[in-house]
Amino acid sequence: MSAITRHSFTLRVAAGKEAEYRQRHDEIWPDLVALQQRAGVRNFTLFQRGTDVVGYFEHDASQAVISLAEFESEQLVRRWNKHMADIIESFGGKLLEVWHA
């Protein structure tokens, strides 16, 4: 069985903040990217159409130094979420994977 799992989620950016959302990700904190890697997160991708965003990432548990739960509870992640909170209107939640080839 593969240690790699796929994860996807949706969120909505506040109207008028679409460019700001992209700009903040253009300037993503290197420490946050490094923390993602420590958690075994790879291929993290965001797709945006208007105010709608779909996020996707793969989690390789065999390469993880910390768990996803530990990652999500890290102070740095909480700081990033707070940094983004003023431009994110809502989280749609996780998506169910229906098919993969």
Side-chain angles (χ1 to χ4, degrees):
M1 183 173 178
S2 174
I4 298 173
T5 55
R6 291 173 298 281
H7 303 263
S8 190
F9 60 91
T10 63
L11 63 87
R12 178 156 293 143
V13 176
K17 299 293 185 176
E18 299 89 345
E20 176 72 15
Y21 181 82
R22 289 188 303 275
Q23 180 182 355
R24 290 188 191 183
H25 282 88
D26 287 344
E27 301 167 353
I28 196 162
W29 306 336
D31 289 349
L32 183 59
V33 174
L35 185 61
Q36 288 176 334
Q37 292 168 349
R38 288 188 63 229
V41 172
R42 63 184 204 184
N43 294 327
F44 200 121
T45 308
L46 297 169
F47 301 93
Q48 182 180 9
R49 180 174 53 200
T51 59
D52 295 324
V53 175
V54 174
Y56 170 85
F57 68 91
E58 296 168 351
H59 177 244
D60 186 347
S62 71
Q63 298 297 312
V65 177
I66 62 171
S67 70
L68 283 178
E70 290 170 313
F71 169 79
E72 292 172 0
S73 68
E74 285 280 338
Q75 178 64 27
L76 183 61
V77 173
R78 291 195 304 271
R79 275 191 21 231
W80 176 261
N81 291 341
K82 185 176 179 181
H83 173 66
M84 298 298 290
D86 66 317
I87 62 172
I88 295 178
E89 181 178 298
S90 63
F91 287 95
K94 296 178 182 180
L95 296 174
L96 173 66
E97 182 174 325
V98 177
W99 183 80
H100 174 77

